[in-house]
mmCIF file of all heavy atoms in Angstrom:
data_model
loop_
_atom_site.group_PDB
_atom_site.id
_atom_site.type_symbol
_atom_site.label_atom_id
_atom_site.label_comp_id
_atom_site.label_asym_id
_atom_site.label_seq_id
_atom_site.Cartn_x
_atom_site.Cartn_y
_atom_site.Cartn_z
ATOM 1 N N LYS S 821 -54.208 13.969 113.067
ATOM 2 C CA LYS S 821 -54.064 12.910 112.009
ATOM 3 C C LYS S 821 -52.557 12.678 111.821
ATOM 4 O O LYS S 821 -51.728 13.519 112.155
ATOM 5 C CB LYS S 821 -54.762 13.445 110.720
ATOM 6 C CG LYS S 821 -54.119 14.671 110.157
ATOM 7 C CD LYS S 821 -54.887 15.159 108.904
ATOM 8 C CE LYS S 821 -54.179 16.309 108.266
ATOM 9 N NZ LYS S 821 -53.907 17.483 109.135
ATOM 10 N N PRO S 822 -52.225 11.569 111.164
ATOM 11 C CA PRO S 822 -50.814 11.322 110.878
ATOM 12 C C PRO S 822 -50.211 12.430 110.114
ATOM 13 O O PRO S 822 -50.785 13.033 109.189
ATOM 14 C CB PRO S 822 -50.855 10.000 110.051
ATOM 15 C CG PRO S 822 -52.089 9.310 110.541
ATOM 16 C CD PRO S 822 -53.069 10.418 110.815
ATOM 17 N N GLY S 823 -48.996 12.758 110.472
ATOM 18 C CA GLY S 823 -48.278 13.883 109.786
ATOM 19 C C GLY S 823 -48.316 15.228 110.600
ATOM 20 O O GLY S 823 -47.520 16.129 110.316
ATOM 21 N N ASP S 824 -49.254 15.319 111.534
ATOM 22 C CA ASP S 824 -49.344 16.567 112.322
ATOM 23 C C ASP S 824 -48.113 16.686 113.227
ATOM 24 O O ASP S 824 -47.655 15.719 113.840
ATOM 25 C CB ASP S 824 -50.639 16.543 113.221
ATOM 26 C CG ASP S 824 -51.896 16.722 112.420
ATOM 27 O OD1 ASP S 824 -51.813 17.138 111.270
ATOM 28 O OD2 ASP S 824 -52.939 16.555 113.037
ATOM 29 N N SER S 825 -47.606 17.936 113.315
ATOM 30 C CA SER S 825 -46.558 18.232 114.276
ATOM 31 C C SER S 825 -47.199 18.723 115.597
ATOM 32 O O SER S 825 -48.013 19.645 115.577
ATOM 33 C CB SER S 825 -45.609 19.311 113.709
ATOM 34 O OG SER S 825 -44.902 18.824 112.614
ATOM 35 N N VAL S 826 -46.821 18.080 116.731
ATOM 36 C CA VAL S 826 -47.431 18.380 117.946
ATOM 37 C C VAL S 826 -46.411 18.544 119.067
ATOM 38 O O VAL S 826 -45.288 18.070 118.894
ATOM 39 C CB VAL S 826 -48.425 17.263 118.413
ATOM 40 C CG1 VAL S 826 -49.593 17.191 117.394
ATOM 41 C CG2 VAL S 826 -47.738 15.917 118.556
ATOM 42 N N PHE S 827 -46.828 19.193 120.172
ATOM 43 C CA PHE S 827 -46.001 19.133 121.363
ATOM 44 C C PHE S 827 -46.882 18.761 122.517
ATOM 45 O O PHE S 827 -48.098 18.978 122.503
ATOM 46 C CB PHE S 827 -45.200 20.423 121.640
ATOM 47 C CG PHE S 827 -45.947 21.723 121.895
ATOM 48 C CD1 PHE S 827 -45.442 22.625 122.821
ATOM 49 C CD2 PHE S 827 -47.104 22.049 121.193
ATOM 50 C CE1 PHE S 827 -46.142 23.821 123.074
ATOM 51 C CE2 PHE S 827 -47.772 23.239 121.408
ATOM 52 C CZ PHE S 827 -47.267 24.131 122.369
ATOM 53 N N ALA S 828 -46.325 18.034 123.493
ATOM 54 C CA ALA S 828 -47.144 17.428 124.548
ATOM 55 C C ALA S 828 -46.416 17.254 125.812
ATOM 56 O O ALA S 828 -45.182 17.328 125.865
ATOM 57 C CB ALA S 828 -47.591 16.071 124.029
ATOM 58 N N MET S 829 -47.213 17.047 126.919
ATOM 59 C CA MET S 829 -46.642 16.693 128.173
ATOM 60 C C MET S 829 -47.283 15.424 128.664
ATOM 61 O O MET S 829 -48.460 15.172 128.501
ATOM 62 C CB MET S 829 -46.914 17.787 129.194
ATOM 63 C CG MET S 829 -46.300 19.089 128.807
ATOM 64 S SD MET S 829 -46.266 20.341 130.090
ATOM 65 C CE MET S 829 -45.026 19.626 131.129
ATOM 66 N N THR S 830 -46.448 14.483 129.222
ATOM 67 C CA THR S 830 -46.863 13.166 129.560
ATOM 68 C C THR S 830 -47.195 13.022 131.110
ATOM 69 O O THR S 830 -47.761 11.997 131.492
ATOM 70 C CB THR S 830 -45.868 12.108 129.191
ATOM 71 O OG1 THR S 830 -44.641 12.413 129.873
ATOM 72 C CG2 THR S 830 -45.597 12.133 127.698
ATOM 73 N N GLY S 831 -46.771 13.973 131.870
ATOM 74 C CA GLY S 831 -47.030 13.904 133.324
ATOM 75 C C GLY S 831 -46.378 12.685 133.955
ATOM 76 O O GLY S 831 -45.288 12.206 133.538
ATOM 77 N N PHE S 832 -47.043 12.077 134.979
ATOM 78 C CA PHE S 832 -46.431 10.957 135.654
ATOM 79 C C PHE S 832 -46.434 9.682 134.840
ATOM 80 O O PHE S 832 -45.776 8.706 135.205
ATOM 81 C CB PHE S 832 -47.179 10.713 136.981
ATOM 82 C CG PHE S 832 -46.794 11.636 138.128
ATOM 83 C CD1 PHE S 832 -47.728 12.403 138.775
ATOM 84 C CD2 PHE S 832 -45.466 11.805 138.449
ATOM 85 C CE1 PHE S 832 -47.385 13.269 139.842
ATOM 86 C CE2 PHE S 832 -45.106 12.585 139.494
ATOM 87 C CZ PHE S 832 -46.019 13.375 140.149
ATOM 88 N N LYS S 833 -47.129 9.723 133.720
ATOM 89 C CA LYS S 833 -47.046 8.593 132.770
ATOM 90 C C LYS S 833 -45.671 8.536 132.159
ATOM 91 O O LYS S 833 -45.177 7.468 131.810
ATOM 92 C CB LYS S 833 -48.172 8.719 131.687
ATOM 93 C CG LYS S 833 -48.163 7.537 130.715
ATOM 94 C CD LYS S 833 -49.157 7.826 129.558
ATOM 95 C CE LYS S 833 -49.072 6.660 128.584
ATOM 96 N NZ LYS S 833 -49.948 6.897 127.373
ATOM 97 N N MET S 834 -45.046 9.722 131.997
ATOM 98 C CA MET S 834 -43.726 9.862 131.387
ATOM 99 C C MET S 834 -43.603 9.157 130.046
ATOM 100 O O MET S 834 -44.548 9.042 129.319
ATOM 101 C CB MET S 834 -42.641 9.416 132.426
ATOM 102 C CG MET S 834 -42.678 10.237 133.669
ATOM 103 S SD MET S 834 -41.450 9.798 134.908
ATOM 104 C CE MET S 834 -42.265 8.358 135.608
ATOM 105 N N GLY S 835 -42.405 8.739 129.675
ATOM 106 C CA GLY S 835 -42.259 8.010 128.378
ATOM 107 C C GLY S 835 -41.642 8.814 127.231
ATOM 108 O O GLY S 835 -41.501 8.252 126.135
ATOM 109 N N ALA S 836 -41.167 10.041 127.511
ATOM 110 C CA ALA S 836 -40.713 10.865 126.377
ATOM 111 C C ALA S 836 -39.282 10.571 125.953
ATOM 112 O O ALA S 836 -38.784 11.030 124.931
ATOM 113 C CB ALA S 836 -40.842 12.370 126.711
ATOM 114 N N TYR S 837 -38.467 9.894 126.818
ATOM 115 C CA TYR S 837 -37.109 9.568 126.473
ATOM 116 C C TYR S 837 -36.976 8.353 125.556
ATOM 117 O O TYR S 837 -36.342 7.369 125.868
ATOM 118 C CB TYR S 837 -36.300 9.268 127.780
ATOM 119 C CG TYR S 837 -36.001 10.460 128.641
ATOM 120 C CD1 TYR S 837 -36.419 11.757 128.328
ATOM 121 C CD2 TYR S 837 -35.258 10.305 129.820
ATOM 122 C CE1 TYR S 837 -36.129 12.812 129.139
ATOM 123 C CE2 TYR S 837 -34.953 11.358 130.657
ATOM 124 C CZ TYR S 837 -35.390 12.649 130.322
ATOM 125 O OH TYR S 837 -35.146 13.654 131.194
ATOM 126 N N ALA S 838 -37.683 8.450 124.421
ATOM 127 C CA ALA S 838 -37.744 7.298 123.494
ATOM 128 C C ALA S 838 -38.074 7.816 122.117
ATOM 129 O O ALA S 838 -38.454 8.936 121.982
ATOM 130 C CB ALA S 838 -38.777 6.315 123.996
ATOM 131 N N GLU S 839 -37.953 6.928 121.175
ATOM 132 C CA GLU S 839 -38.211 7.351 119.759
ATOM 133 C C GLU S 839 -39.731 7.429 119.494
ATOM 134 O O GLU S 839 -40.122 8.125 118.544
ATOM 135 C CB GLU S 839 -37.580 6.319 118.831
ATOM 136 C CG GLU S 839 -36.074 6.459 118.780
ATOM 137 C CD GLU S 839 -35.403 5.425 117.814
ATOM 138 O OE1 GLU S 839 -35.773 4.213 117.807
ATOM 139 O OE2 GLU S 839 -34.496 5.870 117.067
ATOM 140 N N TYR S 840 -40.516 6.771 120.300
ATOM 141 C CA TYR S 840 -42.013 6.791 120.132
ATOM 142 C C TYR S 840 -42.658 6.904 121.471
ATOM 143 O O TYR S 840 -42.201 6.338 122.507
ATOM 144 C CB TYR S 840 -42.521 5.576 119.398
ATOM 145 C CG TYR S 840 -42.082 5.466 117.989
ATOM 146 C CD1 TYR S 840 -40.876 4.842 117.624
ATOM 147 C CD2 TYR S 840 -42.841 6.068 116.967
ATOM 148 C CE1 TYR S 840 -40.499 4.732 116.325
ATOM 149 C CE2 TYR S 840 -42.400 6.001 115.670
ATOM 150 C CZ TYR S 840 -41.206 5.348 115.317
ATOM 151 O OH TYR S 840 -40.804 5.283 114.020
ATOM 152 N N ALA S 841 -43.775 7.605 121.598
ATOM 153 C CA ALA S 841 -44.570 7.672 122.782
ATOM 154 C C ALA S 841 -46.029 7.808 122.446
ATOM 155 O O ALA S 841 -46.359 8.382 121.341
ATOM 156 C CB ALA S 841 -44.101 8.883 123.641
ATOM 157 N N CYS S 842 -46.882 7.378 123.275
ATOM 158 C CA CYS S 842 -48.365 7.523 123.103
ATOM 159 C C CYS S 842 -48.894 8.512 124.034
ATOM 160 O O CYS S 842 -48.525 8.601 125.197
ATOM 161 C CB CYS S 842 -49.105 6.196 123.307
ATOM 162 S SG CYS S 842 -48.821 5.066 121.947
#
Side-chain angles (χ1 to χ4, degrees):
K821 63 184 186 305
D824 286 349
S825 293
V826 297
F827 64 143
M829 301 194 69
T830 60
F832 281 125
K833 183 184 177 187
M834 298 179 283
Y837 287 0
E839 290 181 314
Y840 293 90
C842 287

